[in-house]
């Protein structure tokens, strides 16, 4: 068939960003062209998120807006496609294809059929028993790239819709992960972030997550290796021990705590207590003294009292998080928590979110200020423009943002800097001599 111009947009998490990349490369392999605006596109693909109601409302708004492009075949994929299925044809009448989370390989033929014959198609089957062999994403495309290592989640946290939409955990083979990492590194990437809902659950025969990370470091030329996300119940000293000995394995962990009260953690089915969580942080810092920890927190889970919310604030004061993503609880149909009464009022949730954000920012400022004057190696990943002033931006291994004056440096360079000032949680650095 004639090559089509395809435009893709991604909502939600890093996993979706990666999947969108994979979809683009599947279509490019079939000879189609990826375009950067929807204006002249023959096909528009929106990859969606269902984790909170707000995410779905935004995606639906955007789909209604994109419905203006009457000549394009409109495709919805990702979590909201999986959750709403063919009901999406009624919600957004211009939608022609609904493709669930396990059906991206079917997209080229479905798009061709929709262009040729018209009609509507929905693909929602999940292949939970199947192997997970992601077709590799494009080799070229920036200094920092994602590589997916697992698909799905079986933790069934009581508030979370993900296990219902992404299915059981499937691990990709270590060989295929190493091939993709080598290929993106050959294409110019310096940093790779290994992705999964809970990467610590990775298993390929006898290779576990640390075994995989060790093989990637030994067998590829990647300059920096990161990972997202880890479940606090599953992380153990092995990850931190590898970080302590492998300079290229970045000293940062995203470890969602979700709440600070044991009763709420149990109701969330998280599988750990406040004390075991804090114990893991102590262990992490004993093994990797400078490690940065970031987290996710939900406020207003059903029946959460003021006192229990106060325990979340106390935990944030104690945990020394570099950053926290904070959310108001949003009931998701079909989850265990959706059977409980959503009894924390909207006003109260908002109030708690604001109070939480204040403490998060205070703590964040305190942690970052303590770094002033220290040295760090930053990986440059682009330019930043502020009025007249142009600078280069980079990240430390701890994932902290640093701006440096423009110089004869390039994206992808790793350079030593001294952290001089802190402006809105971003450091301004000066280039330092190499040690
Ligand atoms: N309501 C609010 N936040 C949620 N998250 C997941 N499900 C919900 C929900 N129903 C948050 C969790 C998770 C992050 C990705 O989204 O904090 O770690
Ligand atoms: Fe959802 Fe819990 Fe799985 Fe994360 S670990 S995707 S919060 S069920």
């Amino acid at each position: 068939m004639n090559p089509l111009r395809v435009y893709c947009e991604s909502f939600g998490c890093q996993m979706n960003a990666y999947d969108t990349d994979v979809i683009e490369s599947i279509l490019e392999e079939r000879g189609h062209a990826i375009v950067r605006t929807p204006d002249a596109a023959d096909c528009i693909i929106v990859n969606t998120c269902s984790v909170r109601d707000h995410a779905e409302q935004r995606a639906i708004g955007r789909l209604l807006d994109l419905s203006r492009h009457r000549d394009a075949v409109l495709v919805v994929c990702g979590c909201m496609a999986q959750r709403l299925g063919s009901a999406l044809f009624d919600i957004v009448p211009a939608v022609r294809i609904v493709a669930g989370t396990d059906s991206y390989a079917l997209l080229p033929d479905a798009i061709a059929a929709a262009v040729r014959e018209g009609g509507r198609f929905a693909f929602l089957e999940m292949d939970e028993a199947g192997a997970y062999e992601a077709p590799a994403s494009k080799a070229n495309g920036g200094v920092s790239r994602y590589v997916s290592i697992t698909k799905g989640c079986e933790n069934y946290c009581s508030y979370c819709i993900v296990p219902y939409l992404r299915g059981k955990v499937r691990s990709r083979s270590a060989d295929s992960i190493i091939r993709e990492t080598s290929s993106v590194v050959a294409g110019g990437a310096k940093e790779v972030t290994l992705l999964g809902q809970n990467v610590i659950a990775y298993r390929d025969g006898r290779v576990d997550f640390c075994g995989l990370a060790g093989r990637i470091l030994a067998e590829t030329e990647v300059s920096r290796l990161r990972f997202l996300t880890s479940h606090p119940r599953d992380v153990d000293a092995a990850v931190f021990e590898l970080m302590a000995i492998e300079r290229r394995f970045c000293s940062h962990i995203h470890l969602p705590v979700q709440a600070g009260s044991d009763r709420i953690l149990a109701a969330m089915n998280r599988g750990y207590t406040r004390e075991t969580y804090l114990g893991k942080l102590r262990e992490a810092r004993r093994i990797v003294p400078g490690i940065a920890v970031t987290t996710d927190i939900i406020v207003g889970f059903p029946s959460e009292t003021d006192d229990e919310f106060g325990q979340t604030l106390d935990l944030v004061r104690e945990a020394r998080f570099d950053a926290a993503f904070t959310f108001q609880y949003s009931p998701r149909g079909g989850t265990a928590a959706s059977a409980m009464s959503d009894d924390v009022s909207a006003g109260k949730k908002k109030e708690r979110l604001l109070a939480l954000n204040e403490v998060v920012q205070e703590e964040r400022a305190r942690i970052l200020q303590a770094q002033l004057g220290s040295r760090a190696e930053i990986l440059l990943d682009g330019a930043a423009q502020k009025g007249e002033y142009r600078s280069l931006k980079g990240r430390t291994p701890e994932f902290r943002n640093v701006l440096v004056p423009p110089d004869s440096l390039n994206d992808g360079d790793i350079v030593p800097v001294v952290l001089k000032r802190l402006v809105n949680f971003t450091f301004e650095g000066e280039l330092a001599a190499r040690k």
Side-chain angles (χ1 to χ4, degrees):
M1 84 165 290
N2 289 336
L4 300 172
R5 286 160 301 184
V6 184
Y7 169 74
C8 297
E9 242 176 58
S10 197
F11 285 83
C13 64
Q14 290 85 357
M15 197 68 81
N16 265 13
Y18 175 83
D19 286 348
T20 305
D21 243 35
V22 169
I23 291 168
E24 289 185 350
S25 72
I26 295 174
L27 290 162
E28 277 182 330
E29 241 161 58
R30 292 288 206 95
H32 303 304
I34 302 303
V35 295
R36 292 290 152 218
T37 117
D39 291 328
D42 304 302
C43 174
I44 297 176
I45 301 180
V46 182
N47 197 2
T48 58
C49 169
S50 280
V51 83
R52 283 168 292 277
D53 183 56
H54 179 68
E56 288 197 350
Q57 294 313 324
R58 274 184 55 221
I60 288 171
R62 183 63 180 146
L63 284 163
L64 290 169
D65 180 33
L66 288 166
S67 304
R68 291 180 280 128
H69 301 274
R70 292 174 168 278
D71 296 332
V73 168
L74 187 57
V75 181
V76 190
C77 53
C79 286
M80 187 176 75
Q82 188 70 49
R83 192 175 90 79
L84 296 176
S86 41
L88 268 170
F89 296 133
D90 301 323
I91 302 168
V92 185
V95 168
R96 301 275 299 282
I97 299 173
V98 175
T101 51
D102 266 349
S103 55
Y104 302 145
L106 306 173
L107 277 177
D109 288 342
I111 294 168
V115 169
R116 211 171 41 233
E117 297 149 25
R120 288 169 150 178
F121 306 88
F123 308 98
L124 299 167
E125 217 164 293
M126 288 217 264
D127 178 20
E128 292 180 284
Y132 172 31
E133 275 316 320
S137 59
K138 285 173 297 217
N140 297 308
V143 163
S144 182
R145 293 289 300 269
Y146 297 127
V147 170
S148 159
I149 67 166
T150 66
K151 185 172 182 171
C153 182
E154 298 168 44
N155 289 319
Y156 293 97
C157 301
S158 63
Y159 51 81
C160 186
I161 191 83
V162 168
Y164 305 92
L165 304 178
R166 297 223 174 219
K168 294 207 160 70
V169 181
R170 283 144 289 166
S171 296
R172 198 174 160 188
S173 78
D175 288 341
S176 136
I177 294 166
I178 285 167
R179 266 197 306 278
E180 182 170 6
T181 305
S182 301
S183 131
V184 298
V185 168
K190 291 291 189 295
E191 174 175 275
V192 163
T193 304
L194 304 176
L195 290 183
Q197 250 76 40
N198 173 18
V199 290
I200 311 293
Y202 179 85
R203 199 150 259 84
D204 174 23
R206 302 218 323 262
V207 182
D208 63 3
F209 176 67
C210 286
L212 174 71
R215 269 195 68 185
I216 295 173
L217 290 165
E219 295 175 37
T220 78
E221 301 279 302
V222 70
S223 304
R224 284 186 170 186
L225 190 63
R226 302 184 177 280
F227 57 100
L228 268 179
T229 291
S230 318
H231 195 298
R233 186 198 53 216
D234 297 338
V235 283
D236 59 19
V239 183
F240 306 122
E241 275 155 11
L242 186 62
M243 246 177 222
I245 56 171
E246 284 281 1
R247 199 180 44 84
R248 293 185 294 152
F249 198 33
C250 290
S251 40
H252 167 223
I253 187 163
H254 185 67
L255 202 60
V257 65
Q258 311 297 3
S261 123
D262 284 343
R263 191 187 72 87
I264 296 293
L265 286 171
M268 287 178 162
N269 191 30
R270 289 292 287 175
Y272 54 85
T273 61
R274 170 196 183 91
E275 195 38 47
T276 49
Y277 181 88
L278 289 170
K280 298 229 174 177
L281 294 196
R282 279 194 295 273
E283 186 172 38
R285 288 180 169 127
R286 179 176 56 76
I287 302 170
V288 186
I291 192 172
V293 183
T294 53
T295 201
D296 293 345
I297 299 169
I298 298 175
V299 300
F301 184 84
S303 79
E304 183 187 63
T305 64
D306 285 338
D307 177 61
E308 285 162 338
F309 169 64
Q311 294 176 41
T312 297
L313 293 181
D314 284 347
L315 180 132
V316 171
R317 290 193 189 98
E318 200 175 331
R320 292 188 277 143
F321 294 123
D322 244 63
F325 298 96
T326 56
F327 309 102
Q328 300 181 43
Y329 170 72
S330 165
R332 310 310 290 135
T335 60
S338 72
M340 308 173 196
S341 145
D342 180 19
D343 54 0
V344 179
S345 70
K348 195 102 188 163
K349 281 182 192 164
K350 196 163 172 199
E351 203 179 284
R352 287 182 186 169
L353 189 73
L354 291 173
L356 174 61
N357 286 344
E358 207 163 294
V359 177
V360 164
Q361 308 277 35
E362 268 169 37
E363 291 301 306
R364 185 169 189 205
R366 199 166 62 83
I367 302 287
L368 296 183
Q369 263 155 17
Q371 304 300 318
L372 286 171
S374 69
R375 284 170 61 99
E377 298 230 307
I378 62 169
L379 168 63
L380 295 173
D381 63 4
Q385 188 87 36
K386 208 174 187 186
E388 293 282 277
Y389 186 72
R390 191 177 161 275
S391 47
L392 299 175
K393 61 186 179 59
R395 295 229 190 226
T396 70
E398 295 77 22
F399 212 57
R400 295 173 180 144
N401 287 307
V402 183
L403 298 178
V404 288
D407 203 312
S408 54
L409 296 167
N410 296 308
D411 283 6
D413 288 351
I414 295 181
V415 293
V417 297
V418 175
L419 305 175
K420 288 285 185 184
R421 280 170 298 279
L422 186 63
V423 182
N424 298 330
F425 305 114
T426 295
F427 288 104
E428 291 174 2
E430 271 171 23
L431 295 177
R434 264 179 214 284
K435 267 193 184 157

